[in-house]
Coordinates of all heavy atoms in Angstrom, one line a residue:
M20 N 31.2 -10.8 9.6 CA 30.4 -9.8 10.2 C 28.9 -10.0 9.8 O 28.6 -10.1 8.6 CB 30.8 -8.4 9.8 CG 29.9 -7.3 10.2 SD 30.6 -5.7 9.7 CE 30.2 -4.7 11.1
P21 N 28.0 -10.1 10.7 CA 26.6 -10.4 10.4 C 26.0 -9.2 9.7 O 26.4 -8.0 9.9 CB 25.9 -10.6 11.7 CG 26.9 -10.4 12.8 CD 28.2 -10.1 12.2
A22 N 25.0 -9.5 8.8 CA 24.3 -8.4 8.1 C 23.5 -7.6 9.1 O 22.9 -8.1 10.0 CB 23.5 -9.0 7.0
D23 N 23.4 -6.3 8.8 CA 22.6 -5.4 9.6 C 21.1 -5.7 9.3 O 20.8 -5.7 8.1 CB 23.0 -4.0 9.3 CG 22.1 -3.0 10.0 OD1 22.1 -2.8 11.2 OD2 21.3 -2.3 9.2
L24 N 20.3 -5.9 10.3 CA 18.9 -6.2 10.1 C 18.2 -5.2 9.2 O 17.4 -5.5 8.3 CB 18.2 -6.5 11.4 CG 16.7 -6.8 11.4 CD1 16.5 -8.1 10.6 CD2 16.2 -7.0 12.8
Q25 N 18.4 -3.9 9.5 CA 17.7 -2.9 8.8 C 18.1 -2.9 7.3 O 17.3 -2.8 6.4 CB 18.0 -1.5 9.4 CG 17.2 -0.4 8.7 CD 15.7 -0.5 8.9 OE1 15.2 -0.8 10.0 NE2 15.0 -0.4 7.8
E26 N 19.4 -3.0 7.1 CA 19.9 -3.0 5.7 C 19.4 -4.2 5.0 O 18.9 -4.1 3.8 CB 21.5 -3.1 5.7 CG 22.1 -3.0 4.3 CD 22.2 -4.4 3.7 OE1 22.4 -5.4 4.4 OE2 22.0 -4.4 2.4
K27 N 19.4 -5.4 5.6 CA 18.9 -6.6 4.9 C 17.4 -6.5 4.7 O 16.9 -6.9 3.6 CB 19.2 -7.8 5.8 CG 19.0 -9.1 5.1 CD 19.6 -10.3 5.9 CE 19.6 -11.5 5.1 NZ 20.3 -12.6 5.8
T28 N 16.6 -6.0 5.6 CA 15.2 -5.8 5.4 C 14.9 -4.9 4.2 O 14.1 -5.2 3.3 CB 14.5 -5.3 6.7 OG1 14.8 -6.2 7.7 CG2 13.0 -5.1 6.5
D29 N 15.6 -3.8 4.2 CA 15.5 -2.8 3.0 C 15.9 -3.5 1.7 O 15.2 -3.3 0.7 CB 16.3 -1.6 3.3 CG 15.8 -0.7 4.4 OD1 14.6 -0.9 4.8 OD2 16.6 0.2 4.9
R30 N 16.9 -4.2 1.7 CA 17.4 -4.9 0.5 C 16.4 -5.9 0.0 O 16.1 -6.0 -1.2 CB 18.8 -5.6 0.8 CG 19.4 -6.2 -0.5 CD 20.9 -6.6 -0.3 NE 21.3 -6.9 1.1 CZ 21.5 -8.1 1.5 NH1 21.3 -9.1 0.7 NH2 21.9 -8.3 2.8
Y31 N 15.9 -6.7 0.9 CA 14.9 -7.7 0.5 C 13.6 -7.1 0.1 O 12.9 -7.7 -0.8 CB 14.7 -8.7 1.7 CG 15.7 -9.8 1.7 CD1 17.0 -9.6 1.8 CD2 15.3 -11.2 1.6 CE1 18.0 -10.6 1.8 CE2 16.2 -12.2 1.7 CZ 17.6 -11.9 1.8 OH 18.5 -12.9 1.8
E32 N 13.2 -6.0 0.6 CA 12.0 -5.3 0.1 C 12.2 -4.9 -1.3 O 11.4 -5.1 -2.2 CB 11.7 -4.1 1.0 CG 10.5 -3.3 0.4 CD 10.3 -2.0 1.1 OE1 11.1 -1.5 1.9 OE2 9.2 -1.4 0.8
G33 N 13.4 -4.3 -1.6 CA 13.7 -3.9 -2.9 C 13.8 -5.0 -3.9 O 13.3 -4.9 -5.0
L34 N 14.3 -6.1 -3.5 CA 14.4 -7.3 -4.4 C 13.0 -7.8 -4.7 O 12.7 -8.1 -5.9 CB 15.2 -8.4 -3.7 CG 16.7 -8.2 -3.6 CD1 17.4 -9.3 -2.8 CD2 17.3 -8.3 -5.1
L35 N 12.1 -7.9 -3.7 CA 10.8 -8.3 -4.0 C 10.0 -7.4 -4.9 O 9.4 -7.8 -5.9 CB 10.0 -8.5 -2.7 CG 8.5 -8.9 -2.8 CD1 8.3 -10.1 -3.7 CD2 7.9 -9.1 -1.4
A36 N 10.1 -6.1 -4.7 CA 9.5 -5.1 -5.5 C 10.0 -5.2 -6.9 O 9.2 -5.2 -7.9 CB 9.6 -3.7 -4.9
E37 N 11.3 -5.3 -7.1 CA 11.9 -5.4 -8.4 C 11.5 -6.7 -9.1 O 11.2 -6.7 -10.3 CB 13.4 -5.3 -8.3 CG 14.1 -5.2 -9.6 CD 15.7 -5.0 -9.4 OE1 16.1 -4.8 -8.3 OE2 16.4 -5.1 -10.4
A38 N 11.4 -7.8 -8.4 CA 11.0 -9.1 -8.9 C 9.6 -9.1 -9.4 O 9.2 -9.6 -10.4 CB 11.3 -10.2 -7.9
L39 N 8.7 -8.4 -8.6 CA 7.3 -8.3 -9.0 C 7.2 -7.5 -10.3 O 6.4 -7.9 -11.2 CB 6.5 -7.6 -7.9 CG 6.0 -8.5 -6.8 CD1 5.6 -7.7 -5.6 CD2 4.8 -9.4 -7.3
D40 N 8.0 -6.5 -10.5 CA 8.0 -5.7 -11.7 C 8.5 -6.5 -12.9 O 8.1 -6.4 -14.1 CB 8.8 -4.4 -11.6 CG 8.1 -3.4 -10.7 OD1 6.9 -3.5 -10.5 OD2 8.9 -2.5 -10.3
A41 N 9.5 -7.4 -12.7 CA 10.1 -8.2 -13.7 C 9.4 -9.4 -14.2 O 9.5 -9.9 -15.3 CB 11.5 -8.6 -13.3
A42 N 8.6 -10.0 -13.3 CA 7.9 -11.2 -13.6 C 6.6 -11.0 -14.4 O 5.8 -10.1 -14.1 CB 7.5 -11.9 -12.3
E43 N 6.5 -11.7 -15.5 CA 5.4 -11.6 -16.4 C 4.7 -13.0 -16.4 O 5.4 -14.0 -16.6 CB 5.8 -11.2 -17.8 CG 6.4 -9.8 -17.8 CD 6.8 -9.4 -19.2 OE1 6.4 -10.1 -20.2 OE2 7.5 -8.4 -19.3
V44 N 3.4 -13.0 -16.4 CA 2.6 -14.3 -16.4 C 2.9 -14.9 -17.7 O 2.8 -14.3 -18.8 CB 1.1 -14.0 -16.2 CG1 0.3 -15.3 -16.4 CG2 0.9 -13.4 -14.8
A45 N 3.3 -16.2 -17.7 CA 3.7 -16.9 -18.9 C 2.5 -17.7 -19.6 O 2.4 -17.7 -20.8 CB 4.8 -17.9 -18.6
P46 N 1.7 -18.4 -18.8 CA 0.6 -19.2 -19.5 C -0.4 -18.2 -20.1 O -0.6 -17.1 -19.7 CB 0.0 -19.9 -18.3 CG 0.9 -19.9 -17.2 CD 1.7 -18.6 -17.4
P47 N -1.1 -18.8 -21.1 CA -2.2 -18.0 -21.8 C -3.3 -17.6 -20.8 O -3.7 -18.4 -19.9 CB -2.7 -18.9 -22.9 CG -1.6 -19.9 -23.1 CD -0.9 -20.1 -21.7
E48 N -3.8 -16.4 -21.0 CA -4.9 -15.9 -20.2 C -6.1 -16.9 -20.3 O -6.4 -17.4 -21.3 CB -5.3 -14.5 -20.6 CG -6.3 -13.8 -19.7 CD -6.5 -12.4 -20.1 OE1 -5.6 -11.7 -20.6 OE2 -7.7 -11.9 -20.0
G49 N -6.8 -17.0 -19.2 CA -8.0 -17.9 -19.2 C -7.7 -19.4 -18.9 O -8.6 -20.2 -18.9
T50 N -6.4 -19.7 -18.7 CA -6.1 -21.1 -18.4 C -5.9 -21.3 -16.9 O -5.6 -20.3 -16.2 CB -4.8 -21.5 -19.2 OG1 -3.7 -20.8 -18.6 CG2 -4.9 -21.3 -20.7
P51 N -6.0 -22.5 -16.5 CA -5.8 -22.8 -15.0 C -4.4 -22.4 -14.6 O -4.2 -21.9 -13.5 CB -6.0 -24.3 -14.9 CG -6.9 -24.7 -16.0 CD -6.5 -23.7 -17.2
M52 N -3.4 -22.5 -15.5 CA -2.0 -22.1 -15.1 C -1.9 -20.6 -15.0 O -1.2 -20.1 -14.1 CB -1.0 -22.7 -16.1 CG -0.9 -24.2 -16.1 SD -0.4 -24.9 -14.5 CE 1.4 -24.5 -14.6
A53 N -2.6 -19.9 -15.8 CA -2.6 -18.4 -15.7 C -3.3 -18.0 -14.4 O -2.8 -17.1 -13.7 CB -3.3 -17.8 -16.8
D54 N -4.3 -18.8 -14.0 CA -5.0 -18.5 -12.7 C -4.0 -18.8 -11.5 O -3.9 -18.0 -10.6 CB -6.2 -19.4 -12.5 CG -7.3 -19.0 -13.5 OD1 -7.3 -17.9 -14.0 OD2 -8.2 -19.8 -13.6
A55 N -3.2 -19.9 -11.6 CA -2.2 -20.2 -10.6 C -1.2 -19.1 -10.5 O -0.7 -18.7 -9.5 CB -1.6 -21.5 -10.9
A56 N -0.7 -18.6 -11.7 CA 0.3 -17.5 -11.7 C -0.3 -16.2 -11.0 O 0.4 -15.6 -10.3 CB 0.7 -17.2 -13.2
A57 N -1.6 -15.9 -11.3 CA -2.2 -14.8 -10.7 C -2.3 -14.9 -9.2 O -2.0 -14.0 -8.4 CB -3.6 -14.6 -11.3
E58 N -2.5 -16.1 -8.7 CA -2.6 -16.4 -7.3 C -1.2 -16.2 -6.6 O -1.0 -15.6 -5.6 CB -3.1 -17.8 -7.0 CG -4.6 -17.9 -7.3 CD -5.2 -19.3 -7.0 OE1 -4.5 -20.1 -6.3 OE2 -6.2 -19.6 -7.6
C59 N -0.2 -16.7 -7.3 CA 1.2 -16.6 -6.8 C 1.6 -15.1 -6.8 O 2.2 -14.6 -5.8 CB 2.2 -17.4 -7.7 SG 2.1 -19.1 -7.4
E60 N 1.3 -14.4 -7.8 CA 1.6 -12.9 -7.8 C 0.9 -12.2 -6.7 O 1.4 -11.3 -6.1 CB 1.2 -12.3 -9.2 CG 1.6 -10.9 -9.3 CD 1.2 -10.3 -10.7 OE1 0.4 -10.9 -11.4 OE2 1.7 -9.2 -11.0
E61 N -0.4 -12.5 -6.5 CA -1.2 -11.9 -5.4 C -0.6 -12.2 -4.1 O -0.5 -11.3 -3.2 CB -2.6 -12.3 -5.5 CG -3.5 -11.8 -4.3 CD -3.5 -10.3 -4.3 OE1 -3.4 -9.6 -5.4 OE2 -3.7 -9.7 -3.2
M62 N -0.1 -13.4 -3.9 CA 0.5 -13.8 -2.6 C 1.8 -12.9 -2.4 O 2.1 -12.4 -1.3 CB 0.9 -15.3 -2.5 CG -0.3 -16.2 -2.4 SD -1.3 -15.9 -0.9 CE -0.2 -16.4 0.3
A63 N 2.6 -12.8 -3.5 CA 3.8 -12.0 -3.4 C 3.5 -10.6 -3.1 O 4.2 -10.0 -2.2 CB 4.6 -12.2 -4.7
R64 N 2.5 -10.0 -3.7 CA 2.1 -8.6 -3.5 C 1.6 -8.4 -2.0 O 1.9 -7.4 -1.4 CB 1.1 -8.1 -4.5 CG 1.6 -7.9 -5.8 CD 0.7 -7.2 -6.8 NE 1.2 -7.2 -8.1 CZ 2.2 -6.5 -8.5 NH1 2.8 -5.6 -7.7 NH2 2.7 -6.5 -9.8
S65 N 0.9 -9.4 -1.6 CA 0.4 -9.4 -0.2 C 1.5 -9.4 0.8 O 1.5 -8.6 1.8 CB -0.6 -10.5 0.1 OG -1.8 -10.4 -0.7
Y66 N 2.5 -10.3 0.6 CA 3.6 -10.3 1.5 C 4.4 -9.0 1.4 O 5.0 -8.6 2.4 CB 4.5 -11.5 1.2 CG 4.0 -12.8 1.9 CD1 3.6 -13.9 1.2 CD2 4.1 -12.9 3.3 CE1 3.2 -15.0 1.8 CE2 3.6 -14.0 3.9 CZ 3.2 -15.1 3.2 OH 2.8 -16.2 3.8
L67 N 4.5 -8.4 0.3 CA 5.2 -7.1 0.2 C 4.5 -6.1 1.0 O 5.1 -5.3 1.8 CB 5.3 -6.6 -1.3 CG 5.9 -5.3 -1.5 CD1 7.4 -5.3 -1.1 CD2 5.8 -4.9 -3.0
E68 N 3.1 -6.0 0.9 CA 2.4 -5.1 1.7 C 2.5 -5.4 3.2 O 2.6 -4.5 4.1 CB 0.9 -5.1 1.3 CG 0.6 -4.5 -0.1 CD -0.8 -4.8 -0.5 OE1 -1.7 -5.1 0.3 OE2 -1.1 -4.6 -1.7
D69 N 2.4 -6.7 3.6 CA 2.6 -7.1 5.0 C 3.9 -6.7 5.5 O 4.0 -6.1 6.6 CB 2.4 -8.6 5.1 CG 1.0 -9.1 4.9 OD1 0.1 -8.2 4.8 OD2 0.8 -10.3 4.8
G70 N 5.0 -6.9 4.7 CA 6.3 -6.5 5.2 C 6.4 -5.1 5.4 O 7.1 -4.6 6.4
R71 N 5.9 -4.3 4.5 CA 5.9 -2.8 4.7 C 5.1 -2.4 6.0 O 5.6 -1.5 6.7 CB 5.4 -2.1 3.5 CG 6.3 -2.2 2.3 CD 5.8 -1.7 1.0 NE 6.8 -1.6 0.0 CZ 6.6 -1.5 -1.3 NH1 5.3 -1.3 -1.7 NH2 7.6 -1.5 -2.1
H72 N 4.0 -3.1 6.2 CA 3.3 -2.8 7.4 C 4.1 -3.1 8.7 O 4.2 -2.3 9.6 CB 2.0 -3.6 7.5 CG 1.2 -3.5 8.8 ND1 0.5 -2.4 9.2 CD2 1.2 -4.4 9.8 CE1 0.0 -2.7 10.4 NE2 0.4 -3.9 10.8
F73 N 4.7 -4.3 8.7 CA 5.5 -4.7 9.8 C 6.7 -3.7 10.1 O 7.0 -3.4 11.2 CB 6.1 -6.1 9.7 CG 5.1 -7.2 9.9 CD1 4.9 -8.2 8.9 CD2 4.3 -7.3 11.0 CE1 4.0 -9.2 9.1 CE2 3.4 -8.3 11.2 CZ 3.2 -9.3 10.2
R74 N 7.3 -3.3 9.0 CA 8.4 -2.4 9.1 C 7.9 -1.1 9.7 O 8.6 -0.5 10.6 CB 9.1 -2.2 7.8 CG 10.4 -1.3 7.9 CD 11.0 -0.9 6.6 NE 10.0 -0.2 5.9 CZ 9.9 -0.3 4.6 NH1 10.7 -1.1 3.9 NH2 8.9 0.3 3.9
D75 N 6.8 -0.6 9.2 CA 6.2 0.7 9.7 C 5.9 0.6 11.2 O 5.9 1.6 11.9 CB 5.0 1.1 8.9 CG 5.4 1.5 7.5 OD1 6.6 1.8 7.2 OD2 4.4 1.6 6.7
E76 N 5.5 -0.6 11.6 CA 5.2 -0.9 13.0 C 6.4 -1.2 13.9 O 6.3 -1.5 15.1 CB 4.2 -2.0 13.1 CG 2.8 -1.7 12.5 CD 2.1 -0.6 13.2 OE1 2.0 -0.6 14.5 OE2 1.6 0.3 12.5
G77 N 7.6 -1.1 13.3 CA 8.8 -1.3 14.1 C 9.2 -2.8 14.3 O 9.8 -3.1 15.3
D78 N 8.7 -3.6 13.4 CA 9.0 -5.1 13.5 C 9.8 -5.6 12.3 O 9.2 -6.2 11.4 CB 7.6 -5.8 13.6 CG 7.7 -7.3 13.9 OD1 8.9 -7.8 13.9 OD2 6.7 -7.9 14.1
P79 N 11.1 -5.3 12.3 CA 11.9 -5.6 11.1 C 12.0 -7.1 10.9 O 12.2 -7.6 9.8 CB 13.2 -5.0 11.4 CG 13.3 -4.9 12.9 CD 11.9 -4.6 13.4
V80 N 11.9 -7.9 12.0 CA 12.1 -9.4 11.8 C 10.9 -9.9 11.0 O 11.2 -10.7 10.0 CB 12.2 -10.1 13.2 CG1 12.1 -11.6 13.0 CG2 13.5 -9.7 13.9
N81 N 9.7 -9.6 11.3 CA 8.6 -10.1 10.6 C 8.5 -9.4 9.2 O 8.0 -10.0 8.2 CB 7.3 -9.9 11.3 CG 7.1 -11.0 12.3 OD1 7.3 -12.1 12.1 ND2 6.6 -10.6 13.5
A82 N 9.0 -8.2 9.1 CA 9.1 -7.5 7.8 C 10.0 -8.3 6.8 O 9.6 -8.6 5.7 CB 9.6 -6.1 7.9
L83 N 11.2 -8.7 7.4 CA 12.1 -9.4 6.6 C 11.6 -10.8 6.2 O 11.7 -11.2 5.0 CB 13.4 -9.6 7.3 CG 14.5 -10.4 6.7 CD1 14.9 -9.9 5.3 CD2 15.8 -10.5 7.6
A84 N 10.9 -11.4 7.1 CA 10.3 -12.7 6.8 C 9.2 -12.6 5.7 O 9.2 -13.4 4.8 CB 9.7 -13.3 8.1
S85 N 8.4 -11.6 5.8 CA 7.4 -11.3 4.8 C 8.0 -11.1 3.4 O 7.5 -11.7 2.4 CB 6.5 -10.2 5.2 OG 5.7 -10.5 6.3
F86 N 9.0 -10.3 3.3 CA 9.6 -10.0 2.1 C 10.3 -11.3 1.5 O 10.2 -11.6 0.3 CB 10.7 -8.9 2.2 CG 10.2 -7.6 2.6 CD1 10.9 -6.8 3.5 CD2 8.9 -7.1 2.2 CE1 10.4 -5.5 3.9 CE2 8.5 -5.9 2.6 CZ 9.2 -5.1 3.4
S87 N 10.8 -12.1 2.4 CA 11.4 -13.4 1.9 C 10.4 -14.3 1.4 O 10.6 -15.0 0.4 CB 12.2 -14.0 3.1 OG 13.3 -13.2 3.5
Y88 N 9.3 -14.5 2.2 CA 8.2 -15.4 1.7 C 7.6 -14.9 0.4 O 7.3 -15.7 -0.5 CB 7.1 -15.4 2.8 CG 7.4 -16.3 4.0 CD1 7.2 -15.8 5.2 CD2 7.9 -17.6 3.8 CE1 7.4 -16.6 6.4 CE2 8.2 -18.3 4.9 CZ 7.9 -17.8 6.2 OH 8.2 -18.6 7.3
G89 N 7.4 -13.6 0.2 CA 6.9 -13.1 -1.0 C 7.7 -13.4 -2.2 O 7.3 -13.8 -3.3
H90 N 9.0 -13.2 -2.0 CA 10.0 -13.6 -3.1 C 10.0 -15.1 -3.4 O 10.1 -15.5 -4.5 CB 11.4 -13.1 -2.7 CG 12.2 -13.0 -4.0 ND1 12.9 -14.0 -4.5 CD2 12.5 -11.9 -4.7 CE1 13.6 -13.7 -5.6 NE2 13.4 -12.4 -5.7
A91 N 9.8 -15.9 -2.4 CA 9.7 -17.3 -2.6 C 8.6 -17.7 -3.4 O 8.7 -18.6 -4.3 CB 9.7 -18.0 -1.2
W92 N 7.4 -17.1 -3.3 CA 6.3 -17.3 -4.1 C 6.6 -17.1 -5.6 O 6.3 -17.9 -6.5 CB 5.1 -16.5 -3.7 CG 4.3 -17.1 -2.6 CD1 4.4 -16.9 -1.2 CD2 3.2 -18.1 -2.7 NE1 3.6 -17.6 -0.5 CE2 2.8 -18.4 -1.4 CE3 2.6 -18.7 -3.8 CZ2 1.8 -19.3 -1.1 CZ3 1.6 -19.6 -3.5 CH2 1.2 -19.9 -2.2
L93 N 7.2 -16.0 -5.9 CA 7.6 -15.6 -7.2 C 8.7 -16.6 -7.8 O 8.6 -17.0 -8.9 CB 8.1 -14.2 -7.3 CG 7.1 -13.1 -7.2 CD1 7.8 -11.7 -7.3 CD2 6.0 -13.2 -8.2
D94 N 9.7 -16.8 -7.0 CA 10.7 -17.7 -7.4 C 10.2 -19.1 -7.7 O 10.6 -19.7 -8.8 CB 11.8 -17.8 -6.3 CG 13.2 -17.8 -6.9 OD1 13.4 -17.5 -8.1 OD2 14.1 -18.2 -6.2
A95 N 9.4 -19.6 -6.9 CA 8.8 -21.0 -7.1 C 8.0 -20.9 -8.4 O 8.0 -21.9 -9.2 CB 8.0 -21.4 -5.9
G96 N 7.2 -19.9 -8.6 CA 6.4 -19.8 -9.8 C 7.2 -19.7 -11.0 O 6.9 -20.3 -12.1
A97 N 8.3 -19.0 -11.0 CA 9.2 -18.9 -12.1 C 9.8 -20.3 -12.4 O 10.0 -20.7 -13.6 CB 10.3 -17.9 -11.8
R98 N 10.2 -21.0 -11.4 CA 10.8 -22.3 -11.6 C 9.9 -23.3 -12.2 O 10.3 -24.2 -13.0 CB 11.3 -22.9 -10.2 CG 12.4 -22.1 -9.5 CD 13.7 -22.4 -10.1 NE 14.1 -23.8 -9.7 CZ 15.3 -24.2 -10.0 NH1 16.2 -23.4 -10.5 NH2 15.6 -25.4 -9.7
I99 N 8.5 -23.2 -12.0 CA 7.6 -24.2 -12.6 C 6.9 -23.6 -13.9 O 6.0 -24.2 -14.4 CB 6.5 -24.6 -11.6 CG1 5.7 -23.5 -11.1 CG2 7.2 -25.4 -10.4 CD1 4.5 -24.0 -10.2
G100 N 7.4 -22.5 -14.3 CA 6.9 -21.9 -15.6 C 5.7 -21.0 -15.6 O 5.1 -20.7 -16.6
L101 N 5.3 -20.6 -14.4 CA 4.2 -19.7 -14.3 C 4.6 -18.2 -14.7 O 3.7 -17.5 -15.1 CB 3.6 -19.6 -12.9 CG 3.1 -20.9 -12.3 CD1 2.6 -20.8 -10.9 CD2 2.0 -21.4 -13.3
F102 N 5.9 -17.9 -14.6 CA 6.3 -16.5 -14.9 C 7.5 -16.6 -15.9 O 8.3 -17.5 -15.8 CB 6.8 -15.8 -13.7 CG 5.7 -15.6 -12.6 CD1 5.8 -16.4 -11.5 CD2 4.6 -14.8 -12.8 CE1 4.8 -16.3 -10.5 CE2 3.6 -14.7 -11.9 CZ 3.7 -15.4 -10.7
D103 N 7.5 -15.6 -16.8 CA 8.7 -15.4 -17.6 C 9.5 -14.4 -16.8 O 8.9 -13.3 -16.4 CB 8.3 -14.8 -19.0 CG 7.7 -15.8 -19.9 OD1 8.1 -17.0 -19.8 OD2 6.8 -15.4 -20.7
V104 N 10.7 -14.7 -16.6 CA 11.6 -13.8 -15.7 C 12.9 -13.7 -16.4 O 13.3 -14.6 -17.2 CB 11.7 -14.4 -14.3 CG1 10.3 -14.4 -13.6 CG2 12.4 -15.7 -14.3
P105 N 13.7 -12.7 -16.0 CA 15.1 -12.6 -16.5 C 15.9 -13.8 -16.0 O 15.8 -14.1 -14.8 CB 15.6 -11.3 -16.0 CG 14.4 -10.6 -15.3 CD 13.3 -11.5 -15.2
E106 N 16.6 -14.4 -16.9 CA 17.5 -15.5 -16.4 C 18.8 -15.1 -15.9 O 19.5 -15.8 -15.3 CB 17.6 -16.6 -17.5 CG 16.2 -17.2 -17.8 CD 16.3 -18.4 -18.8 OE1 17.5 -18.9 -19.1 OE2 15.3 -18.8 -19.3
E107 N 19.2 -13.9 -16.3 CA 20.5 -13.3 -15.8 C 20.2 -12.4 -14.7 O 19.1 -11.8 -14.6 CB 21.1 -12.6 -17.0 CG 21.5 -13.4 -18.2 CD 22.5 -14.5 -17.9 OE1 23.5 -14.2 -17.1 OE2 22.4 -15.6 -18.4
G108 N 21.1 -12.2 -13.8 CA 20.9 -11.2 -12.8 C 20.7 -11.9 -11.4 O 20.9 -13.1 -11.2
H109 N 20.2 -11.1 -10.5 CA 20.1 -11.5 -9.1 C 18.7 -11.7 -8.6 O 18.5 -12.0 -7.4 CB 20.8 -10.3 -8.2 CG 20.0 -9.0 -8.4 ND1 20.1 -8.2 -9.5 CD2 19.2 -8.4 -7.5 CE1 19.4 -7.2 -9.3 NE2 18.8 -7.3 -8.1
L110 N 17.7 -11.6 -9.4 CA 16.3 -11.6 -9.0 C 15.7 -13.0 -8.8 O 14.9 -13.3 -7.9 CB 15.4 -10.8 -9.9 CG 15.7 -9.3 -9.9 CD1 14.7 -8.7 -10.9 CD2 15.5 -8.7 -8.5
F111 N 16.1 -14.0 -9.6 CA 15.5 -15.3 -9.6 C 16.6 -16.4 -9.7 O 17.7 -16.2 -10.2 CB 14.5 -15.4 -10.8 CG 13.4 -14.5 -10.7 CD1 13.4 -13.3 -11.4 CD2 12.3 -14.8 -10.0 CE1 12.4 -12.3 -11.3 CE2 11.2 -13.9 -9.9 CZ 11.3 -12.7 -10.6
T112 N 16.2 -17.6 -9.2 CA 17.1 -18.7 -9.2 C 16.8 -19.7 -10.4 O 16.7 -20.9 -10.1 CB 17.1 -19.4 -7.9 OG1 15.8 -19.9 -7.6 CG2 17.7 -18.5 -6.8
V113 N 16.5 -19.2 -11.5 CA 16.1 -20.1 -12.7 C 17.4 -20.4 -13.5 O 18.3 -19.7 -13.4 CB 15.1 -19.5 -13.6 CG1 13.7 -19.4 -12.8 CG2 15.4 -18.1 -14.1

């Protein structure tokens, strides 16, 4: 049975918001890697806001895409060491 679009969109929004709360910048402040982490975090936050806007406008497909892209920024940053993240659980693929 295919996933319900509304349920999936809500679930991915929650995952992105939770992942943003859980991710902590790993490199020391003032370093180029810390700057890269800040940029990744800003992209993820922007996609969260975009997704919420799309959902409010009745566009769940673009909302889901935005939430997915936002999470991808965090997940990629975690994989290359920009973020300290929980290694257990469902938020990251580290």
